[in-house]
Amino acid sequence: MNSLKVIGQTANKETIEAWHKIPNFMIIEGESGSGRKTMSTFIAKHFNADIVPIGNKVDDVREIIEDARQLTFPRIYLLDSNGMRVGAKNTLLKITEEPPHNCHIILLVHTVNDALPTLVSRCKLLTMLPYTKEEVEDYLVDVLGYKEKDALTYSKLTNSLGNLRTMHHQDLPRYYEKCTYFLDNIWNVSFGNSLNIVNWLRVKKADEEKEEKLDASLFVQCVLNMFHQDCLADYETFTANQLSQNSIFIKSTSTCSTKLQNPLQTKEVTIHEWLRELSSIE
């Protein structure tokens, strides 16, 4: 009996439950925070298998063979393709050609393009589906323990359960408060005044340990999501000029979000550029 609570993903769960045995090789596709690891655990529990996260370097992948030879029970090895080099992917390909007994592998990818085509051709592929607003609210209530009224409010921040969990551990109400304040006031402030926003965020190395500061990437993603929902709600009332403003806002914020997820980009500079662009929208 599988007692693991998995929000949504009905089609994926039905697919897994239809499998007669654990596939030797699986790929789960989805963005960070989409529930890929939870789905991996669901698979392990469904088949009464052990699950072990391992590194994604060549030596880590090679160790699967040595470890699996000693197994008398099914084990799932969980790898993340993020940062995985070609050599490690080729080593993984060799293992999937002749997998040891009781050895099963799940590779987590953002898109199937992150994996070798030959790996994709021999896998069971699961794609994490977008969560509905109702599923996000259920997660906030049933898993994170918020009241239904608060869940209705906080579900506006994101449809990523992983991001909600992260913000819950930090300070979810504060994320909502600051995102709401930002969207209510960004059109009416100068670039100089908007610099105060930087003080809310972890953008410098010295900010990393400050619990009261918000993760810059999460904040920008939440702003984008809330703005998009506001636009959908009021779309029919917008003038041509407002539609143009909204388009610029979304493009600029999307670009900022992408840059913040790039470790080679300086967060403080990225946020300043974003605020300068937004404050210049007319």
Side-chain angles (χ1 to χ4, degrees), residues 99-144:
H101 184 60
N102 284 324
C103 173
H104 309 273
I105 297 170
I106 295 178
L107 180 66
L108 306 181
V109 302
H110 287 154
T111 75
V112 290
N113 295 328
D114 297 333
L116 296 174
T118 42
L119 278 173
V120 176
S121 68
R122 63 185 52 175
C123 80
K124 292 288 187 180
L125 175 65
L126 297 173
T127 299
M128 298 303 291
L129 306 173
Y131 293 96
T132 66
K133 191 172 185 295
E134 291 73 22
E135 289 168 349
V136 172
E137 290 170 11
D138 287 345
Y139 182 77
L140 284 161
V141 173
D142 297 340
V143 179
L144 299 184

Side-chain angles (χ1 to χ4, degrees), residues 34-98:
S34 62
R36 296 174 301 171
K37 291 180 182 177
T38 300
M39 189 58 66
S40 300
T41 304
F42 179 86
I43 295 170
K45 285 185 174 289
H46 183 72
F47 290 102
N48 294 315
D50 184 21
I51 185 166
V52 178
I54 65 169
N56 60 11
K57 294 182 172 58
V58 172
D59 289 343
D60 298 319
V61 179
R62 285 175 179 160
E63 286 178 9
I64 290 176
I65 298 177
E66 294 302 316
D67 184 68
R69 283 174 179 165
Q70 306 172 44
L71 296 177
T72 57
F73 52 87
R75 169 169 288 176
I76 295 174
Y77 296 90
L78 184 64
L79 299 87
D80 193 327
S81 69
N82 186 34
M84 195 174 190
R85 296 181 180 274
V86 174
K89 292 179 181 179
N90 286 329
T91 303
L92 181 61
L93 178 61
K94 293 177 182 177
I95 296 176
T96 60
E97 288 174 350
E98 296 183 19

Side-chain angles (χ1 to χ4, degrees), residues 186-220:
I186 189 61
W187 303 105
N188 305 315
V189 299
S190 66
F191 172 63
N193 290 333
S194 68
L195 287 179
N196 292 328
I197 294 163
V198 177
N199 295 328
W200 305 345
L201 309 175
R202 297 174 189 150
V203 293
K204 302 178 183 177
K205 193 157 186 68
D207 296 330
E208 292 177 1
E209 303 301 322
K210 295 180 180 179
E211 294 184 1
E212 74 279 5
K213 288 186 178 276
L214 309 178
D215 181 276
S217 179
L218 283 178
F219 174 79
V220 173

Side-chain angles (χ1 to χ4, degrees), residues 228-241:
H228 176 67
Q229 291 188 58
D230 289 344
C231 287
L232 290 178
D234 299 327
Y235 180 79
E236 293 182 357
T237 67
F238 290 140
T239 65
N241 184 56

